[in-house]
Each structure stands twice: as C-alpha cells, then as structure tokens.
Amino acid sequence: MSDFRSRSKPPRAGSPTAALDAALGGASADPIRRAMWLDALDRRLVPLLPPALAPHARLANVDRNRLVFLVDSPIWHARLRLSADVLLDAARSIGLDVSDIVVRTSTRPLRPEVDAGRARPSPPSAAAREAVAAALASLQPPEGDDSGTR
C-alpha cells in the first residue's frame, strides 16, 4: 500500500514559518532583513559592554561609518561613551567599517522584558510577614501603661 501523505509537509498557510517566508520573499524584505541583521549585530556587541550597562543599551542603527546606540537614561549615555573604543574595535573585527559612535537617550525602557521582571517583586514569605508583625507589636506600649497617652 502506498502512503498518500507526503513525509515532508510544506508549511501551512497560517503558520509562522510561512508568514516569515512570505515576508522575506518580496520587495518588502529589505527592511525586515536589515532589522534582523541589526538584531544579530546587537546580540554580538552588547555583551561586550560592562554588565551593569548592557541591559540599558541597544544598537539602533549602523549609519555609514557610525554605530548608533540607544540608552534609557543620561547616566548610561556617559557610560556608553566610555566604552566606545571597545565597541568600535569589536565592530571592526567583524568587518564593519565604523569610526564613531552616536548615543541617543530614550524615554522608554529599551528591554521591557528586563524591566517587567523588576516591576513585580515577589510577595513576602510567611516568615517575613511574621517578623514584621512581631516588630510592630514590640512598638506598642504594654497594656496598662498610660505613659504613651499623655
């Protein structure tokens, strides 16, 4: 008996792979390919930054001979400028002809997934709640003591 189903199935019309293939197939593919290239370049350059700075900086563009970075506050702007030589050397080592870095400050978080983790602290444990309750209870005056009512 023959199997009427093919062993390798083409992507379904609504699948993410089919959508990506369609997006990369036409004349509109150039901006998508550039965005993917910039993202890959960002993943290669940002880890070279100091660990405190890396979550606050993102490669935004390569404009002629300049790397354009975004940071999320002025303090990170200054710190990124101090790391410019390391970034330029790394970019040159992977074949980019760059000679300058431009740093722009954004008003929005650059990596929302990192900031979302900080926004929701974990609830205190039962032991911590008991310790706080005991500390508050120790601040109350003892019963029958009127020294605190004057």
Side-chain angles (χ1 to χ4, degrees), residues 73-120:
S73 76
I75 188 70
W76 302 118
H77 183 282
R79 298 251 285 326
L80 184 64
R81 293 299 299 172
L82 292 173
S83 298
D85 292 338
V86 172
L87 289 171
L88 288 172
D89 289 342
R92 288 182 195 124
S93 74
I94 58 175
L96 292 176
D97 183 26
V98 292
S99 59
D100 193 21
I101 288 188
V102 176
V103 184
R104 303 281 184 225
T105 304
S106 173
T107 58
R108 296 184 181 181
L110 299 179
R111 302 184 195 286
E113 64 277 1
V114 172
D115 292 334
R118 288 190 202 135
R120 295 184 211 135

Side-chain angles (χ1 to χ4, degrees), residues 8-32:
S8 62
K9 295 179 183 178
R12 291 181 297 147
S15 73
T17 306
L20 183 61
D21 289 343
L24 293 175
S28 64
D30 289 341
I32 296 170

